Amino acid sequence: MERRDFVIVGGGIMGAMMALTLAESGSGSVLLVEKSYPGAGSTGKSGAILRQHYSHKVTIGMARESLQWYSEFQDRYGLDISFHRPGMAFICQESDRDNLERNVKLQQSLGVDTSVIDSAALRELEPGGSFSDSECAAWEPEAGNVNPVQTVHAVLNSATRAGAEARIGIRVTGFLRDGDRIQGVQLDDGSSIAAGMVIVAAGPWAGQLLKEAGVPLPLQTIRPEQAFFEPPAGAKEKRLIYGDLTNGLYWKPELAGWTRVGFLDMDEDAVVENPDHYDEGVSGEFIDACRHRLSQRLPHYSLSPSWGGVGALYTVTPDSHALIGPVPGLEGMWVVSGFSGHGFKMAPAVGKGVAAAIGNDQPGKCDVNFFAPDRFTRKAPIEVSYGYGILG
Ligand SMILES: Cc1cc2nc3c(=O)[nH]c(=O)nc-3n(C[C@H](O)[C@H](O)[C@H](O)COP(=O)(O)OP(=O)(O)OC[C@H]3O[C@@H](n4cnc5c(N)ncnc54)[C@H](O)[C@@H]3O)c2cc1C
């Protein structure tokens, strides 16, 4: 039987990034198995916003380390991932200013270029926008984004150049085991691969896969919706990224020239039982609601054609933070999933953190213990600072 030191289940941004870091750090032989195509899960439809606005030292450090890594990717690997830095503003009510300021101060203490601005400064930043006197914002000029599809392919390509192997179009159907020790994976082509360590980075499929292995973890798959609008020609808009806590909305410029709009609240998103079959479209009602909320901020969106929208998948946990670490009760298996709609920006730090914990990489800003999968049974969830879990 074939054997690898590491078998990674899933070719999303997490699987690709771990394949790269494990291979580059000379941690051992690496095989990534992807059932469909790179980015077939959450990754391919990601907004891929790279912000550092978080409320924990660990997550801010990870977002910062990752932003730097993405910004240097093209020079280092020679592959384009369409990295841009439009900057991002988080708008909230003055009544929430204390919380915002506390988080901004923490970010500043960790080196993030960010500040709290009042409504007058917000109007200067976006002269065509409508902001009330009772609002303020955290402004982060360094915030950026990438093209998620280009990025996952570029990272996987770099991983294979570094010595990792990727098998695309092959599904992991189960695990080889000796009691509580996982010894490898079974594939849908009938073969099996022995492994020193299996890493489940299967995104929306991870919960079911682990349940079948006898370890139900608090991972749920939900279906957020996104709408796309084309701003009218000549619209006076700065094309920044926004998180709008007042209206529960985020929007960002897409590289195609459209604007992507989605809701911050994940509680309304439908639960998806079978991620292999879910509705990838959105309703006219949703598009209308997005147009209405966005045009309250930027009036020209009441005149914008919509290019429809897309239903996507998030893998969420009860505290909206990922599960990263050994699968409780099993040896030889890690889970890296549950990024709750905000994982793309963290992937470089996660790759490094995992490769340091189970391979030969140097530790970075991702303290994997912070994300221990058993934290809910220990009644020690990560605290969330905002009403919207997706903001972390
Ligand atoms: C609409 C949307 C917008 C988002 N916006 C942002 C954002 O702006 N910023 C941000 O930081 N994050 C954002 N996110 C979140 C981010 O995209 C995800 O956290 C991240 O992509 C998760 O990557 P992953 O590799 O864990 O999972 P996935 O990308 O879901 O990858 C899992 C892969 O595993 C494969 N797989 C599953 N089961 C098996 C099996 N049995 N055998 C083999 N392969 C298998 C799947 O085919 C899939 O390709 C967004 C997500 C969505 C959906």
Side-chain angles (χ1 to χ4, degrees):
M1 190 190 308
E2 287 183 71
R3 187 185 185 283
R4 300 288 187 282
D5 294 313
F6 301 96
V7 171
I8 299 169
V9 187
I13 194 65
M14 296 301 162
M17 206 64 83
M18 289 185 287
L20 176 60
T21 47
L22 286 166
E24 278 186 334
S25 57
S27 300
S29 52
V30 180
L31 171 66
L32 179 148
V33 184
E34 164 56 51
K35 67 175 176 54
S36 309
Y37 53 87
S42 302
T43 295
K45 294 177 183 170
S46 184
I49 297 169
L50 315 174
R51 63 169 154 105
Q52 303 164 93
H53 191 96
Y54 274 91
S55 53
H56 290 275
K57 197 176 151 195
V58 174
T59 44
I60 297 167
M62 288 169 67
R64 186 156 181 69
E65 181 177 45
S66 299
L67 177 63
Q68 179 78 15
W69 190 91
Y70 280 124
S71 74
E72 293 168 356
F73 183 88
Q74 184 162 0
D75 284 347
R76 194 158 154 198
Y77 295 95
L79 298 167
D80 185 13
I81 56 172
S82 297
F83 177 83
H84 287 81
R85 259 189 220 280
M88 179 164 186
F90 274 89
I91 309 165
C92 70
Q93 292 293 319
E94 281 286 353
S95 51
D96 294 327
R97 190 180 185 117
D98 285 354
N99 191 27
L100 192 75
E101 262 175 358
R102 200 172 32 251
N103 291 335
V104 163
K105 278 195 184 125
L106 181 61
Q107 292 152 24
Q108 288 168 337
S109 75
L110 297 168
V112 179
D113 177 8
T114 180
S115 56
V116 176
I117 59 174
D118 62 16
S119 54
L122 201 44
R123 284 183 205 111
E124 272 175 40
L125 195 64
E126 187 74 83
S130 169
F131 308 102
S132 99
D133 289 344
S134 67
E135 289 179 311
C136 58
W139 168 235
E140 186 190 322
E142 292 176 327
N145 63 278
V146 290
N147 176 315
V149 177
Q150 269 182 317
T151 305
V152 71
H153 280 276
V155 173
L156 201 49
N157 190 325
S158 305
T160 53
R161 281 196 232 160
E165 186 191 340
R167 290 195 195 165
I168 308 298
I170 305 276
R171 189 177 194 122
V172 171
T173 51
F175 302 101
L176 305 174
R177 58 194 294 170
D178 178 10
D180 291 338
R181 166 90 209 172
I182 296 294
Q183 295 183 312
V185 294
Q186 295 162 324
L187 306 178
D188 66 356
D189 63 2
S191 66
S192 297
I193 315 267
M197 175 69 73
V198 174
I199 306 171
V200 177
W205 292 263
Q208 186 59 31
L209 208 51
L210 289 165
K211 200 167 154 196
E212 284 164 17
V215 189
L217 288 178
L219 290 166
Q220 191 175 48
T221 301
I222 60 170
R223 183 184 159 277
E225 297 179 321
Q226 324 278 299
F228 298 100
F229 296 92
E230 182 168 345
K236 291 203 172 10
E237 185 190 341
K238 290 291 189 60
R239 308 295 284 155
L240 311 176
I241 306 171
Y242 285 91
D244 179 349
L245 278 72
T246 306
N247 293 315
L249 206 65
Y250 81 88
W251 68 95
K252 67 169 282 256
E254 286 291 319
L255 300 170
W258 300 351
T259 298
R260 171 195 290 244
V261 190
F263 295 162
L264 294 175
D265 191 356
M266 299 188 286
D267 293 344
E268 300 290 307
D269 294 335
V271 173
V272 174
E273 298 301 342
N274 180 359
D276 281 319
H277 301 285
Y278 71 100
D279 182 357
E280 293 194 67
V282 300
S283 65
E285 210 175 68
F286 175 74
I287 293 171
D288 276 352
C290 287
R291 182 186 278 116
H292 174 69
R293 286 202 213 177
L294 182 57
S295 52
Q296 286 180 327
R297 285 292 182 205
L298 294 167
H300 56 262
Y301 280 98
S302 62
L303 308 172
S304 292
S306 166
W307 286 95
V310 71
L313 298 170
Y314 289 160
T315 317
V316 295
T317 67
D319 62 10
S320 305
H321 284 285
L323 308 184
I324 305 176
V327 174
L330 291 180
E331 273 179 65
M333 185 189 262
W334 268 46
V335 59
V336 178
S337 184
F339 288 86
S340 303
H342 57 103
F344 198 98
K345 71 181 73 57
M346 301 293 196
V350 171
K352 199 168 172 51
V354 171
I358 58 176
N360 295 338
D361 210 345
Q362 296 301 313
K365 298 291 182 189
C366 174
D367 172 5
V368 290
N369 297 317
F370 186 75
F371 300 99
D374 68 353
R375 65 182 183 272
F376 300 104
T377 46
R378 288 188 282 109
K379 299 203 175 357
I382 298 168
E383 278 179 36
V384 178
S385 161
Y386 290 108
Y388 299 112
I390 197 169
L391 299 181

